[in-house]
Amino acid sequence: MAGLSPPLKPFRPITLSARPFLFITTFIVVHQTIATGSLPPAYYFFQTTGSSTSLLAGPYAAFVLRQHIPLTNKKVEDVVEDVMRGTIGSSWKLWGMYRGKDQKVEDKDSKKVAKETIEGLEGRRRLWTNKALDKASGVKLQQVMDAAAAYLVVKALFPLRLAVSLYLTPKIARTLARRGR
């Protein structure tokens, strides 16, 4: 009897029922990583092709938005952007009046409005407010539309992301469980 080895412990497979927390956490992380990782390539695609307007507004609206307005040096899209910035400024003025602070926005451009808004946050980190002002004043409508189109595409690919996540979750969870031993 001296030559016999001790009995082996029964093999317990790494499954969802054996380790539910590991599998659920792995699924959430994998699914969100796929979604977050898909955004930059989709955004880059729409930035380089300029097709976000067609996706969001349709081909006819995209055609109209890209037309030049006679006697001006602007496209319809630029005029829409100016109107939107003016609307945002007016909305900010109404919010200020609602809050009891009259914001003078009528003759100011969006960069000045953004600067006044950020300066209203005095006492907070000044370095960050300058960076926020620089970033916010340079955002164009086309960039916002490209980001919205990228987000829309990533959300539309949910069934595919779900299938890939369900496929990868057991493999990654088993790898993590083996490394954790």
Side-chain angles (χ1 to χ4, degrees):
M1 292 268 194
L4 294 175
S5 60
L8 295 174
K9 292 182 182 178
F11 177 70
R12 186 172 179 196
I14 302 167
T15 61
L16 175 61
S17 60
R19 297 190 110 174
F21 182 75
L22 174 67
F23 271 74
I24 292 170
T25 305
T26 303
F27 173 78
I28 291 170
V29 170
V30 167
H31 190 71
Q32 288 302 315
T33 302
I34 292 170
T36 307
S38 302
L39 276 173
Y43 179 77
Y44 179 74
F45 171 78
F46 288 117
Q47 279 272 287
T48 55
T49 61
S51 59
S52 62
T53 308
S54 295
L55 177 69
L56 296 173
Y60 298 116
F63 175 76
V64 170
L65 287 171
R66 293 219 165 89
Q67 296 302 309
H68 285 277
I69 299 173
L71 303 176
T72 66
N73 197 17
K74 290 186 173 186
K75 291 191 263 180
V76 174
E77 191 171 29
D78 297 332
V79 173
V80 169
E81 183 173 350
D82 292 342
V83 168
M84 287 176 63
R85 288 186 186 270
T87 304
I88 291 169
S90 299
S91 301
W92 181 250
K93 179 182 177 191
L94 289 173
W95 175 251
M97 289 178 3
Y98 172 74
R99 298 276 309 219
K101 301 173 186 173
D102 188 14
Q103 304 285 335
K104 307 283 189 233
V105 180
E106 298 93 22
D107 298 326
K108 297 181 182 177
D109 64 314
S110 60
K111 191 171 185 175
K112 289 180 185 176
V113 172
K115 183 177 175 113
E116 288 178 0
T117 303
I118 292 173
E119 284 175 354
L121 301 172
E122 282 303 317
R124 303 197 182 149
R125 296 181 184 188
R126 190 73 179 125
L127 175 68
W128 290 106
T129 56
N130 286 337
K131 286 183 180 180
L133 175 63
D134 292 340
K135 297 273 186 195
S137 63
V139 175
K140 298 283 184 200
L141 177 64
Q142 187 62 44
Q143 292 171 321
V144 174
M145 289 191 325
D146 292 338
Y151 181 78
L152 180 72
V153 166
V154 168
K155 288 298 178 184
L157 292 176
F158 174 77
L160 180 64
R161 288 189 297 127
L162 183 65
V164 171
S165 299
L166 288 172
Y167 175 76
L168 290 177
T169 296
K171 297 175 184 318
I172 294 172
R174 287 186 189 114
T175 303
L176 292 173
R178 286 187 194 119
R179 286 189 173 194
R181 288 184 184 177

